[in-house]
Structure formats: C-alpha cells, structure tokens
Amino acid sequence: MSERVLVQQLQGLADGPVTVSGWVETVRDQKKVQFVILRDETGAVQLVNPATRPADPSAAEPVEAQDAAALALTDTISNLSTGTFLTVQGDLKHDERVKLGGVEIKIGTLDIAAAALPETPIAADSGLDKRMDWRFLDLRQRRNNLIFRVQTTLEHAFRSYWIERDYIEVHSPKLMASASESNAELFEVPYFEEKTAYLAQSPQFFKQMAQVAGFGKIFEIAPAFRADPSFTSRHATEFTSVDAEISWIDSHLDVAAMQEELLHTAFQAVKHKHGDEIEELFGIEVQVPRIPFPRIPLAEAREIVKARGYDIPRTDGDLDPEGERQISAHVLETYGHEFVFITDYHPEIRAFYHMRDEETGLTKSYDLLFKGVEITTGAQREHRVDVLMEQAKEKGLLPEHLDFYFDFFRYGAPPHGGFGMGLARVLMLLLGQDSIREVTYLFRGPTRLAP
Amino acid sequence: MSERVLVQQLQGLADGPVTVSGWVETVRDQKKVQFVILRDETGAVQLVNPATRPADPSAAEPVEAQDAAALALTDTISNLSTGTFLTVQGDLKHDERVKLGGVEIKIGTLDIAAAALPETPIAADSGLDKRMDWRFLDLRQRRNNLIFRVQTTLEHAFRSYWIERDYIEVHSPKLMASASESNAELFEVPYFEEKTAYLAQSPQFFKQMAQVAGFGKIFEIAPAFRADPSFTSRHATEFTSVDAEISWIDSHLDVAAMQEELLHTAFQAVKHKHGDEIEELFGIEVQVPRIPFPRIPLAEAREIVKARGYDIPRTDGDLDPEGERQISAHVLETYGHEFVFITDYHPEIRAFYHMRDEETGLTKSYDLLFKGVEITTGAQREHRVDVLMEQAKEKGLLPEHLDFYFDFFRYGAPPHGGFGMGLARVLMLLLGQDSIREVTYLFRGPTRLAP
C-alpha cells in the first residue's frame, strides 16, 4: 500500500512531504497560481501550484530557459476535469489563512489514475431521477457519503446490541418454494426443470423456524423483495429488512421493549459519531429517543386523530398515512417523543400468524411510527399449530401451500415474536429526507433496474 | 418478559426457586421417580419429579387420599414427547452427584407451550438429505447450534475489523438489468411490463461503483445467486458472499494483506469464544493463521504439484480440486500453514475486469485456498476504461450489455481491488465438515427449495 495519508489526518501532521489521493472537486486556474480542491473519503484539501506558463516568444524581454517539468505540471492542472482521480506528492504547510482546514499542499508530482470526461452529467441540484441515473457521481457529494456512514454506524450498533445479548445471526434463503407473506406482489423465478421459485418478501417463516430450532434469539439484516407496482416515496421492489425474533416472550410488548432499547442504543451511537456532521449537512439534530416509547392502542389512536379534526377515510379500522402523521404529531406535542407504538390491531388487518388476545380478540401486535411514518410491524406469533391453521383458513389461505410452515409447529414450539424494520425508512426519517430513494445505495422500483 | 433463567446460569445461582424454559430432550419415566432432560439455547439441565402413581384399588393396603395435582403432573411427564417446549417452575438444588452440570431442578409446575408429535421424523444420524427435509429439528442438535454461533462470531469479527478501519457497509441490489459475472448460471426474474431482471451473481460491479463514488473502503455480506446445476459439496444456488473492495492499492497483494489480517483477527475471535466447544463437539482445534500467509505464483504451484507426483489434467493452466489439495498439503508440510495465496493467473482463466501486469501479462489476482479448498478470488481491477473495454472485447462480451458498467470509469476512478469469499466454505473447513450443506441455515440447490 502506498504512503498515502487521508485528508482528515493532515491537520495533525507536521509541515513536510506528504502523499494524498482523491478526486478533483474544483480547479482555480489563475495566471500566476493554480489551486485544486482535492476530496477523498475523509475531507477536502487545497493543493497549490505556482504556474509556469510558456514564455511569449514575441515578448520584449529575453526568454529564459524554462523548466519543462514545471511547464508540463501547469499544463496538466489547467486541463484537469472535475472528478479526475489522482495522487499528489507535495509539501504540506500549515497556514491559518487557508479556509479549508488551515493547511495547503504545494504540488510536487501529480499522477492521474483515471481522468474524467470534461462534462459531468449531473449537478448537486439535478432532479432525483437524473441523479439516480448517475448515482456513482451523486454519491460523491459529502452529504450522500455521510448517509452511508450513518447507515454503517446504525447497523453496527444494532448488531452489536444483539450480539452482546447472545443473539444468533442467520442468513435465511431468498429463494423459496412458496410465498412468505401473500400471493400478491410476488416475484417469480423460473427454477431448474420447469420449477418456479419465489423471492422472499420477508424472512418471516425462516426466522420463526429458528425459534422452533431452539435458537432462542436471532437477527438478520438482508434484502427482501416485493413486486409492488407503487411509486410512493416509501416503497421499493427491493429493500433492506432489519429483522429480529425472540423466544419465551409473554406478549408483543416484550418485543417492543427490545426494539425501543435497540433504537435508543443505535441512535446514541449515530449521534455520538456523526451528530455534528448531520447537523452541518442536513440541519437535523439527532434525538436519542427516551425509553419507554409511548404506546397507544389503535382504537384510542383513532379517537385522538378524530378529535384533532381528521376523519380517517379508511373503513377497515386502520390508520392511513395522514392518520399516522396526526397521531405522531399528537405524541410529539403531548410527550415530546418522535416514536410511538400503536398496538392492538384487529385480526382483519393483520397477517394470519399474529397471535390474538383471548380476551379482546385483537392481535398481540404493534406498528412502530417514527416521525409520522410506519417503520416496523411487530407481533407475538401464534405457535399453537391448530390455532394457526384455523387463522390461515379464516384468511382464505390454502393449507397445502403452508404445510411446510405448519410443520415447524408440529414438533414443539416456544412462544415467540419479533419485528421487521425497513432500514431505508429509518435512515430517511433520521436524516429528514423525503424519499427512501435518497438513502438507498441503488434504488429499485417498477421502472428502475439500473445502474 | 417472564423470570426465566438460562440453563448456563443455573450453576451460578443459589439453591431455591427458579424458572427455566426449553424443549424436552429425553424423559426417563421410572416407577418412583421421573427425570426430564430439558435443553435451551445455552445447555441442558435435569428436571426431577417424585412420581405419584394412581393407587392400585385392588391392593391389600388401604388407599390413601392422593394429591390430584401430583397425579396430574406425573401423568403429564409420562406423556411428554421429545421436542415439546415447556416452562418449569421448580426448586434448584446443587448436587455433585448429578453428572449434568451438578444441578437439578425439582419440578413444581410444568407448562407446555406446544407439544411435539410423538414420532420425531429424524435422528442425529439420519442422512443429510433427510435431515435437510427437517432442518428445524436437525438444528436443535448442539453441534448444529454451535455452527451458527460460530458463524455469528466470525461475521461480527469481520465487520468489526472493517468498521474500526472506517469501511462503509453497502447493500447492493440483487435485482439487476444485466449479468454481473457471466451470462451462464444466471437466474432470470420476469419484471414489470415484460421486462427481465437478473439475480446478482456477485456484488462485483456495485462494489466497484463504490470506489468511483469515492467511498474508499467498503464491505458487504449478502446473498448471491448462481443457477449452477452442479451437485458438489461446495456449490449452492444461493450463498452468502463476504465481499470487500478498497481504493488506492498498489496491487492485488494489498488486498491479500487486508484479507489475511481479517481472517487472522476473526479466527482469533472464534477460538477465544468457541474454541473449547468446537474441540468438544467437532474434534477440531481452531488454528489462528499466522500472518503473512504463504504466497505462491500459480506456475510455481503447478510445478510443486507435479513434483509431488500429481499430473493436473486441466489444460487451461489452472489448478483442479486435487491440485488445490496437493498444493495445500505442500504448504502445510513446508510452512505449517493451512492457508495459501495462489497468485499470477493467466488472463484466459480470469474475469475480464482483472488488471494485468504490464511486464508479465498475467493478472494481478489471487485465489485463497484454505485446507485445500478455494474460498476466495481477489484481484486488482482494471480502472482505465479503454483497457477495460479492450479486455471485455477480447473475452467476446458485448459492450452494449456492459456500457452502464464502463460508465463508472468514464468520470474518474481510483486504482482499486477487492475479494469475494464464500462464508459457508470458510465455516465448512473451519469445522471440518465435508459439505457446505451442513453449515448453511437452509441450503438451496437445483433440487432443493424447501423448507
């Protein structure tokens, strides 16, 4: 590996020879002096070169012998295009007058790794679709780079929380012989010898399988697929799902208690590591959510929303997106909290595998809203196979498609539950973005498969 | 959450009331006393119940009044089937005579969560295919549980290594508009409005995209898909790929240096956390590999193998599986090392995007062998777009399919390289297993899509 130093290390180094590598952000090519702003993954630094221009043969003064290398370097810099990746060896000098970090590098040698075409097809303010076409250039923006460093910290905090508590990480298959959630929005994959596989819509069945296998507590962060034809800012055909499942719970509230602690811990890690930069680049102060998060039964939430003057048009008893915003606004005003668990959903609007409360008949499940948007569904699962089969039948599901799943519960099962959380939704809301497309490395939608 | 304690905590607790939950491993139903071995995710404990049998009305002695609850408990235990999940409240007692951990719990109450069918369809020594049919039961075996705890530790050590060094984690899309590796072994997915998507065979293009986006250093652990019709012990149609990619390298040897340090660190973590248990259950002493790993150019490796008396039948200049075993045996005998990097492959047997050495014409790439099996291909990538296009053309690839990829390099690019490593292969070899099916949560192959 070369002796490259990162831009963020420069301030801590003494004046003297250094090597830096990165890409050209801007060039200021003045007659007597040239400036290049070079960016790497850690910051930007000003490079400087006293220009050596070809002498004018028609000038009155005599032509002095010119340094060929200096002439070539000046010419190279004049022709640098934005985005060109290069390595510079030069002399580091601390200088308070340099606004960018108080340091400057006088260029000694300059080696171009790969030159960029002169015309950059997008600008920072190009439309989202255009930026997605050129995502690899769009991601060079500082704020976009920060999104993925925040994501890295967030996920590592999730995993560390779990691993400190002896959770097992699983990689459940994405190729399945049947649907995992519903027969709608399902991608089919022609498989060997005229068979058909389906892409997993969630790891639901397989994370439950870990419970009957006696794994106790598990997690998975992996892609999930939905052939969802919608174009909203919150949906994608492929997304990263953050999943956990635990045994020996008393109810869905044990799952909620784990999830709120997880989010508290992870947001703390993000604030600690990136809080200042998030404030600088996104104008957002990261709030570490207090534990416990407020919990409101769905029926009560609907009453509150109605009392606020919004009549939910849905007739199925659920909240709609505006209802979710309203109840979150109420929670923020009343409790100063950005999160709220909505609990006790009617079985009609929940998956067949959600356990039902014997007294109320309502499901032992919750949705978690963050800043007015649903980011999670969690629940205790029905682990008694006869009840489970009855509930599937009630929903009109064909038992022959689910028999492999029912088998899981025929040889013993612990009470268990878990949640699935959309990683991009959390990031979008955490950073105040208005679409998951902004926080997805490469978004996939009905009309978007490239790059 | 209930007051459950884990079995591994029992030895450290004082005698007295405890609650444990788990599944029935065995029942010994003797006339005067009943024993149940209960297993949870941390271990097994003996439960004991002094049996209360219904009095024989024909007996000579007078029938005393019997405790109905005691009768019922005895009856419940007599009817317990293996695999039944239950919770027991009882009295913990330390007793040196109890072989299983020196503790015993006298059963107070016993609550069955879900009873198992009496006939377990597999045994520990059932054939692999049969065990895969009932994977959720197979995974209850201690050694299978350990496999996934080792996997968890291994992966967390990988990620921690990278995150401590400021790598960014990416989630690259698995739905693509074109092939990522080759047009063979490609799963097609009918996409919206008669379009076709393809399942990613590797994250190759997208982790390179992160380099031109200026991310510097990235990693991803995610599923990859190959429509590979083969049935070997080392292939699957879906597998977990461990990938990293870094910028500003001088050659593939910088990638190798990172990978060997990564493996050294991760194996150390596994040995520290699970070394004793691996030795007990798999009879394997985990070797933490010394750094640096031996490096042998391919041509030299072939000479060594030939000198050992094995004539490689392949005519393309590569090693075959027996050749890989031979060179690994040589390295183990000569250097006492279980790993070896084979370097300097001819371009004909490497992907078009591998960079070539200007002097030798050979690729700047390596394979990493572990105990005689290839677990990784690594390389410096060609980042100069004109050279890259030329190399693709040479391989007969159609530029129109790759144009989105070539675009990545038209707007500046750093020198970069990386590797992809099959997680299951590493685990298989680490634990001395003879098939990746043993160490995959749910294996997927040409004839295996369920459960």
Side-chain angles (χ1 to χ4, degrees), chain A residues 1-2 4 8 21-23 41 83-87 113-117 119-121 134-137 139-140 144-145 148-149 151-152 155-156 159-160 163 166-177 187-192 195-197 199 206-207 209-217 219 221 223 225 227-229 237-238 240 246-250 254 273 383-384 404 407-415 423 441-442 444-451, chain B residues 1-2 4 8 21-23 40-41 83-87 113-117 119-121 134-137 139-140 144-145 148-149 151-152 155-156 159-160 163 166-177 187-192 195-197 199 206-207 209-217 219 221 223 225 227-229 237-238 240 246-250 254 273 383-384 404 407-415 423 441-442 444-451:
Chain A
M1 214 84 169
S2 56
R4 175 192 182 211
Q8 71 179 5
S21 299
W23 67 94
E41 61 268 37
T84 292
F85 280 68
L86 52 81
T87 293
L117 290 178
E119 298 291 330
T120 306
W134 301 95
R135 186 62 165 161
F136 58 100
L137 298 175
L139 290 174
R140 288 182 190 169
N144 287 341
N145 184 288
F148 294 93
R149 285 188 290 119
Q151 175 178 283
T152 302
E155 282 186 65
H156 196 61
R159 294 196 188 98
S160 298
I163 282 167
D166 289 325
Y167 283 60
I168 293 177
E169 177 166 7
V170 299
H171 297 288
S172 69
K174 306 309 159 201
L175 293 170
M176 301 177 63
F187 285 117
E188 296 189 0
V189 185
Y191 209 65
F192 299 87
K195 292 194 291 291
T196 300
L199 292 183
F206 300 132
K207 60 184 188 161
M209 193 188 95
Q211 308 309 304
V212 301
F215 278 24
K217 295 175 284 190
F219 71 90
I221 301 180
F225 305 89
D228 183 342
T237 53
E238 176 177 351
T240 302
I246 53 178
S247 287
W248 302 110
I249 57 171
D250 291 332
D254 288 333
K273 191 157 184 182
H383 64 280
R384 297 162 298 186
F404 84 97
D407 265 346
F408 295 169
F409 306 97
R410 290 184 172 122
Y411 297 89
L423 180 62
Y441 182 62
L442 281 166
R444 291 295 183 249
T447 57
R448 165 77 56 190
L449 266 178
Chain B
M1 214 84 170
S2 56
R4 174 192 185 212
Q8 71 179 6
S21 300
W23 67 95
D40 73 5
E41 61 268 36
T84 292
F85 279 69
L86 52 80
T87 293
L117 291 177
E119 298 291 330
T120 306
W134 301 95
R135 186 62 163 159
F136 58 100
L137 298 175
L139 290 174
R140 288 183 190 168
N144 287 342
N145 184 288
F148 295 93
R149 287 189 288 117
Q151 176 178 282
T152 302
E155 283 186 65
H156 196 61
R159 293 197 188 96
S160 297
I163 282 167
D166 289 324
Y167 283 61
I168 293 177
E169 177 166 6
V170 299
H171 297 289
S172 69
K174 306 309 160 200
L175 293 170
M176 299 178 64
F187 284 118
E188 295 190 359
V189 185
Y191 209 65
F192 300 88
K195 291 193 291 291
T196 300
L199 292 183
F206 301 133
K207 60 182 188 162
M209 193 188 95
Q211 308 309 304
V212 300
F215 277 23
K217 294 175 285 189
F219 71 90
I221 301 180
F225 306 88
D228 183 341
T237 54
E238 176 177 351
T240 302
I246 53 179
S247 287
W248 301 110
I249 58 171
D250 290 330
D254 288 332
K273 192 159 183 181
H383 64 279
R384 296 160 299 185
F404 83 98
D407 265 345
F408 295 169
F409 306 96
R410 290 184 171 123
Y411 298 89
L423 180 61
Y441 183 63
L442 281 166
R444 291 295 183 249
T447 57
R448 166 78 53 191
L449 266 178

